[in-house]
Amino acid sequence: MNRNLVLGGVLSGAFLAAALVSFVWTPHDPGALNIPGRLQTPGAGHLLGTDHFGRDILSMIMVGARTSIAVALVAVSIGMVLGVPLGLAAAARRGSLLDETIMRGNDLIFAFPSLVIAILITAVFGPGAVNAIVAIGIFNIPVFARISRGAAMALWQREFIMAARVCGKSAARISAEHILPNIANLLIVQGTIQFSLGILAEAGLSYVGLGAQPPLPSWGRMLADAQTMVALAPHLALVPGCAIVLTVLGLNLMGDGLRDWLDPRLRVARA
């Protein structure tokens, strides 16, 4: 049994379950203000306490999980849907103008981190979850393009690809029918890693006010709101901080476990 995969799946599944349950139920209304009950420590009425406005922290964590997962999932999907075809096309036309154009475009995007891209986008369109998705998604495109190009280039020299070319198949058809299925495991693992980085990026953007906007709860903004009250109510920072750490840890463990499980060479070595 792969312990990393199991532990990562349990941690990731717990936060995914919390996000799904938040659609139909939360212990309290996450947006309800209760000034007389503010800054309560964890107890029977509020399992994780309340914030400086009296809002239930557990309810905000559950809805914040939904926000973080949604932003990261859509952003990674954008990067994968656009980046993988670009990488496959560059590998199929290795050394051509198309290959050079795609890879230099990737270098240009890599020169600007997602936070800088988010600042540029929000300067034009304003802050929000949608703009955070676009910023993180744009940064993910060259990641998947490079991964798919590097893996595909190694496969283009293999005998079964040469046989497909002899049969008259086009480069696009070979990429779709032979290359993509053989690099799918690598893309799945990379997708898991980028998903965890997407959650970190969303939290970072929300922390500086560029991500999800009030009244939508966000782990990053919960940390930002708590930074001036750490001495008075440390649970305000500890709870969302632990949520981010455990979620990212779970996804990284799951990615490591998936790599071991999907790679037959590693399975043989462990056996």
Side-chain angles (χ1 to χ4, degrees), residues 194-258:
Q194 293 305 123
F195 189 72
S196 67
L197 294 177
I199 289 179
L200 276 178
E202 190 279 330
L205 293 175
S206 295
Y207 183 84
V208 297
L210 301 178
Q213 299 298 298
L216 187 64
S218 169
W219 293 346
R221 197 173 65 254
M222 291 174 69
L223 282 174
D225 293 340
Q227 64 182 347
T228 59
M229 301 184 183
V230 173
L232 181 62
H235 66 282
L236 295 185
L238 287 175
V239 174
C242 288
I244 294 171
V245 169
L246 291 176
T247 303
V248 173
L249 175 63
L251 288 168
N252 284 331
L253 287 174
M254 190 165 65
D256 184 66
L258 283 173

Side-chain angles (χ1 to χ4, degrees), residues 103-144:
M103 298 316 296
R104 297 297 77 76
N106 287 344
D107 293 340
L108 179 63
I109 296 177
F110 269 131
F112 299 94
S114 59
L115 182 59
V116 176
I117 297 175
I119 292 173
L120 294 175
I121 292 175
T122 53
V124 178
F125 301 104
V130 174
N131 294 333
I133 290 173
V134 173
I136 300 171
I138 290 175
F139 189 74
N140 278 327
I141 292 175
V143 173
F144 285 102

